[in-house]
Amino acid sequence: MRSAFVTFVALTLWAATLQGVVAIPLRAVVMDGTPSNVQKIKEATEIANKQVHNMQAVLNGPNPKAHPAVVKAFGTNANIPEIKANVEKLANGKIVVPSPEPAAGITQGATNVNDKKVTFGSAFFNSDAKTRAGTVLHEATHAIHGAVDHFDQHGNPHPQGTTFDRTKAQVGYKDSHMEQLKAQASHNMHHNADSYRVFGEECPEARELFERALEEEDLEIRSHLVRRAGAACAYRPKGKGKAAHHAATHATAQSKAEARFARKSAKKAAKAERAAKKAAKGPAPAPKAKKGGPRRGKHA
């Protein structure tokens, strides 16, 4: 009874939390063109939208500043109010793609700083869905809330459309100067477009797990899904150790929970299999009746 009550309370609290983050999804308005290209853009946008919802769940959880996904994307001194505001804009925003055909001179994607329209290059259409989703998120941050790619030597952002010496600029891409910028100016990383792409990639599928829990009738499985979603989304650090230590501790606890759940599932399946075999054999035969007749006397 207590387990069922705890599960009910957890579900209720999570429902209340997620009600506050439900929004019109991030949308891509795509003009007519090659159907397969249009489909690839829409598919990537759907994944990106799910990632945005997961970001919201993390940011609405306790102590999001210490969440490993936030630290990975923005550093240890992230400006949570600004990040949260920008993610809300993404959740309610849209990008306009004037043509679904690969644009010349562009690899993944680009956003026009004047009209905020987004175009994609040949590399985008040749990438897997997850990579395309990251590109959609990156370009959406440019188009919707003015995120940037370049920072000066002190970690201050170069606003879109301004002139600066690119040879001295730091680039916020995850495969460029992101780590250096996080160490130098974490408080400014909410301006960095690629940080939201990393946040989306690092952010766990917590919302999907919770929605599955709401639909699950088996209390044991439901409780397991809620615990997984809670651990992923409402990450709560233990003490004041480093985020990496917390992440490792969380991963260990999570793997143990997964193992316990797997063992229970295996036992349940084995029990069901034995019951099925027993039912297939039919009812047990009735015991044979003893033959009648006079009893034999005892030997002298």
Side-chain angles (χ1 to χ4, degrees):
M1 179 62 72
R2 184 178 183 277
S3 176
F5 176 74
V6 171
T7 300
F8 171 76
V9 171
L11 285 167
T12 304
L13 290 174
W14 273 84
T17 300
L18 291 180
Q19 281 177 352
V21 299
V22 173
I24 299 171
L26 171 65
R27 309 179 301 289
V29 179
V30 187
M31 302 299 111
D32 292 336
T34 304
S36 60
N37 288 348
V38 173
Q39 180 57 33
K40 285 183 177 181
I41 295 171
K42 289 184 176 180
E43 178 189 38
T45 305
E46 288 176 3
I47 297 172
N49 182 56
K50 183 182 293 186
Q51 291 177 339
V52 168
H53 283 315
N54 289 338
M55 292 181 201
Q56 288 179 301
V58 167
L59 293 169
N60 281 289
N63 199 7
K65 193 171 184 176
H67 195 290
V70 173
V71 174
K72 179 74 173 178
F74 302 97
T76 57
N77 192 29
N79 188 327
I80 298 300
E82 289 294 334
I83 295 169
K84 191 172 182 178
N86 288 339
V87 170
E88 291 296 324
K89 291 175 184 176
L90 289 174
N92 292 281
K94 67 179 179 181
I95 59 172
V96 177
V97 184
S99 171
E101 311 307 326
I106 296 174
T107 52
Q108 280 287 341
T111 301
N112 187 303
V113 296
N114 296 314
D115 61 15
K116 306 300 182 184
K117 291 181 179 179
V118 176
T119 51
F120 298 106
S122 57
F124 173 87
F125 295 104
N126 291 324
S127 298
D128 59 66
K130 184 178 178 181
T131 300
R132 282 185 273 119
T135 300
V136 167
L137 264 181
H138 180 107
E139 299 306 329
T141 65
H142 286 315
I144 295 171
H145 61 79
V148 304
D149 291 329
H150 299 90
F151 295 75
D152 66 20
Q153 292 175 308
H154 304 290
N156 298 310
H158 286 299
Q160 290 183 353
T162 58
T163 302
F164 55 90
D165 186 350
R166 289 178 178 267
T167 62
K168 296 181 179 180
Q170 299 186 82
V171 183
Y173 296 159
K174 70 175 183 179
D175 55 357
S176 188
H177 300 121
M178 180 181 284
E179 293 302 317
Q180 180 178 327
L181 283 166
K182 286 192 300 182
Q184 179 187 27
S186 174
H187 61 285
N188 279 335
M189 292 302 283
H190 58 280
H191 294 291
N192 186 45
D194 224 35
S195 287
Y196 296 89
R197 174 162 69 106
V198 172
F199 192 10
E201 292 173 351
E202 292 292 321
C203 195
E205 297 289 330
R207 186 184 185 88
E208 183 178 347
L209 289 170
F210 179 73
E211 289 174 349
R212 281 172 54 196
L214 288 176
E215 298 172 357
E216 181 58 56
E217 294 182 0
D218 187 296
L219 288 180
E220 186 176 358
I221 296 176
R222 179 189 296 178
S223 178
H224 170 73
L225 291 171
V226 169
R227 286 196 302 271
R228 284 181 59 191
C233 211
Y235 175 79
R236 188 187 299 275
K238 299 177 181 179
K240 299 181 179 180
K242 294 182 179 179
H245 171 71
H246 296 320
T249 303
H250 164 67
T252 301
Q254 186 66 22
S255 63
K256 288 181 179 178
E258 294 282 359
R260 286 196 300 271
F261 180 70
R263 287 196 297 270
K264 286 184 178 180
S265 298
K267 286 181 180 179
K268 186 180 289 186
K271 186 177 180 180
E273 185 179 356
R274 287 195 298 271
K277 287 181 179 179
K278 187 175 181 181
K281 289 180 180 179
K288 294 182 179 180
K290 293 183 179 180
K291 293 182 179 180
R295 293 184 179 181
R296 297 176 62 184
K298 293 182 179 180
H299 292 287

